[in-house]
Every structure is written in structure tokens, then in C-alpha cells.
Amino acid sequence: MNLLHIKERGLEIEQLGHLPKDILEAIYEQKLFKLFTPKELGGKDLNLMEGMKVFQEMSALDGNLGWLVTIGTGGNAFIPTFNQAICKKIFSPRNAVIAGSGYPTGIAVQVEGGYRVTGQWKYCSGADYATTFTMNCFVEYEGIKTDQIISCSVERDHVEILQDWCAMGLKATASHTISVQNAWVPQEATFQLGAIRNNYGSFVHSFPFGTFAEASFLSVCLGITENFLKEISIIIKQKSDDPSRAERMVSLHSLLMQQQQKFNQLEEQFYAILTQYWERHNAGQNLTDEELLQFSQMSKDSAATCIEITNSFIRNLGMEAITETSSINRIWRNLYTAAQHGFLTP
């Protein structure tokens, strides 16, 4: 399947509430959940910049697709943290993908050889097809809850999906709450970011995780905004032949040129800075805390600018802008939802 056709199916996908099977199959075929997975585990083994451009490209086709490819690929960051046997088991299947949450809203009771895990975790994008779930828990030892947090991986069979995702946008991301009750998690199925337990890791996996996440989600916002501006261009062309709207479309076209230039500058700045950071990382140079903070602020500001760009058009589009079944409204809602992620909000 050619994923370019997904643009024509945006409304179908949103109303379905999850990705159709043929689109999910195309993702597996094109290894879009394995962008940063090594080839030994069946992945594409892309570098950071290549992966970010795929995130933007997929998001420019459809926000739901871009978000899920980004989240699914994000789970590749955990590849170095498991021993080789567990790593192969989790990441080598053709349909392998991780969903989960970083919030410590569960309890891991420490027992001999591992933990008994119980809890609920919200916003687990891709929950309807994930093969493995990851979650953070507070450790309980001998009946006492400690401040220690441990990251656990749990197979799908031990996870209940609570169908509760009802956000205004990204409706097909299946970002549901998951529930686990007294699931057995052996010690080797726990992990810690930064730990290295196998030889599968790449430079992408050792890149600062917070910056990786900020760049990933901003790539999604850039892609959705790119799609929005293309849709505006289509609307202008469709309505320019109507004499009663001609003057208004000239004004809207002028606004489009201004906002397209702003977007191009935003996109150029993002890739220029990230390329610089990536090249330094590859050269073995550590990024300073100040540089990481600057990138974080740039990501938040850029996401806010994406929102401002799209909002500048909404009041000029009439009822189409607020009709939920219209393409422009759906794209706008998807951007607002993506930009609400904790890595991008003030």
C-alpha cells in the first residue's frame, strides 16, 4: 500500500478511532515502527536526522499516522537497556512495537527474582496493537512503598486496555489507559534508560533522551502544520473562481505567503540546531546542560508558533473551519492535541 493515499482517508481513520488494518500492515511492511532499530533485529537503522524527517513526512500525510510512527519508533530508545535475549524477544518480531507511559502511577512489589506489578497508566498511544507495554512504578519492599522508581516491560497478554481516549484530536491514536493487576515481571524485564546490556545500541540510542523526545514531537507538529498550510492552499484554489470570494481569497493568499515564510524559517532553524547537536554527539562531544535547556525552550516556542500560524487562518475560513468533518478542522485539532504533550507545553 502507498501511504500517500492516507490523506484521502483522514475522516475514515478519525471516525474509526484507530488505524485500519491495511495501513497498519503497510507500517509493518515499511518498518516505520523500527526506524531506529538495528538491522539485526529487522529494523531500518536510520540516523537521528533521517528519522526526524520521516516523522515530519508521516505527520504531513496524517497527524494520527505521524504520531503513532513517532511513538512507536520512540520505543526503540529502550533497545540497549535489555539483555540480548529479552531484547530479541521484544524487538525482533515483524509487528513489534512498544506502548506505555513514563508516569510512575503503579506499584512494583519486590519479590525474589523480580516484581509483582499493579497499576494504571494513561495516554498509552498505540495501545490497540502494541506487543509490549512499558511503565514506571514505585518500588514496594516488605510492605513499604519507597521513592525508588523502576521501569518495567510487560507482555500484551497481561495488560487490560481501557478504551477511554476521547481527546479533541489525534482520535485514531488509541492513546488509552492500560491496567495491570499483579503481573509478574522478572528482573531481566526491567530496564533503566542509559544502562547498556547488549551491543545493539547506536548513536541515536545514546543521544540525550529528553532532547530526542522534544525533537520527535516537534517534528510531528511541523508535519501537521505543513499539512495545514497545504490544505489552505487547496481551499484558496477551490474558492478563487467564485467572484463573491475573489477579494477574500487574495487576502488569504497574502496571509498564506507570510505564514509559509514563517514556517519555513521555523523548520530551517529546527533542523539546523538539531543537525549541529547530532554531529557533535557523533563526534563524542557532550552537550551542555545550558544547550539542552535552550533546545527545550526552542521546541516549546516552535510548537507555540505552529499553533499561532494555524490560528491566523481559522477566523478567515468561515464555517468550514469549525465543521468537524472538514479536513482543515481535523488537521487543526490534531495539531492542538499533539502540541499539548508535556515535552512541548510551557
Side-chain angles (χ1 to χ4, degrees), residues 102-115:
Y103 293 101
T105 53
I107 296 294
V109 179
Q110 189 170 8
V111 295
E112 185 178 356
Y115 300 85

Side-chain angles (χ1 to χ4, degrees), residues 180-327:
V180 174
Q181 295 294 325
N182 199 35
W184 164 243
V185 179
Q187 183 68 43
E188 60 267 24
T190 66
F191 63 99
Q192 182 179 359
L193 275 175
I196 300 179
R197 296 183 183 173
N198 61 60
N199 297 320
Y200 292 127
S202 69
F203 280 116
V204 174
H205 301 133
S206 58
F207 193 75
F209 181 76
T211 306
F212 168 82
E214 289 159 353
S216 298
F217 294 126
L218 182 55
S219 294
V220 174
C221 290
L222 290 173
I224 298 176
T225 307
E226 177 186 341
N227 193 17
F228 184 94
L229 292 171
K230 287 178 180 176
E231 191 67 23
I232 291 293
S233 179
I234 291 170
I235 291 172
I236 293 172
K237 288 178 182 177
Q238 289 174 340
K239 297 183 177 181
S240 290
D241 292 337
D242 184 345
S244 66
R245 296 179 175 179
E247 184 176 344
R248 188 176 180 185
M249 290 305 108
V250 169
S251 176
L252 202 59
H253 184 265
S254 176
L255 178 62
L256 176 60
M257 293 300 100
Q258 294 171 13
Q259 298 297 353
Q260 184 68 58
Q261 183 178 14
K262 182 187 292 186
F263 173 78
N264 292 344
Q265 291 171 346
L266 194 70
E267 183 183 38
E268 183 180 348
Q269 176 195 40
F270 166 65
Y271 282 112
I273 294 174
L274 189 60
T275 297
Q276 180 188 9
Y277 281 25
W278 174 240
E279 289 175 349
R280 285 180 52 195
H281 177 70
N282 276 344
Q285 300 175 20
N286 291 328
L287 298 169
T288 66
D289 290 342
E290 182 179 356
E291 288 172 326
L292 297 180
L293 284 172
Q294 287 175 347
F295 189 88
S296 180
Q297 190 59 52
M298 183 274 292
S299 299
K300 297 175 190 296
D301 292 344
S302 297
T305 301
C306 287
I307 294 289
E308 291 168 6
I309 288 173
T310 58
N311 282 350
S312 69
F313 291 94
I314 295 300
R315 291 282 290 164
N316 296 288
L317 295 175
M319 293 301 292
E320 186 172 8
I322 53 90
T323 302
E324 287 192 351
T325 53
S326 72
S327 295

Side-chain angles (χ1 to χ4, degrees), residues 1-26 61-65 172 227 325 327 330 334:
M1 175 191 172
N2 186 345
L3 284 173
L4 292 175
H5 296 308
I6 196 173
K7 269 196 168 190
E8 305 159 11
R9 300 174 63 185
L11 182 58
E12 170 203 344
I13 292 167
E14 176 168 285
Q15 292 178 339
L16 189 62
H18 57 81
L19 293 182
K21 288 183 178 179
D22 63 322
I23 293 175
L24 196 56
E25 179 60 30
L61 295 177
D62 181 83
N64 294 285
L65 173 66
N227 193 17
T325 53
S327 295
R330 185 172 62 253
N334 285 343

Side-chain angles (χ1 to χ4, degrees), residues 34 41 75 78-79 82-98 131-134 153-155 188-189 191:
K34 294 190 170 195
L41 298 174
F78 305 143
I79 284 173
F82 296 99
N83 67 41
Q84 185 167 327
I86 296 291
C87 188
K88 279 187 174 182
K89 181 179 180 182
I90 291 176
F91 293 99
S92 63
R94 179 176 179 271
N95 65 335
V97 64
I98 284 178
T131 52
T132 301
F133 290 86
T134 60
S153 65
V154 177
E155 295 179 5
E188 60 267 24
F191 63 99

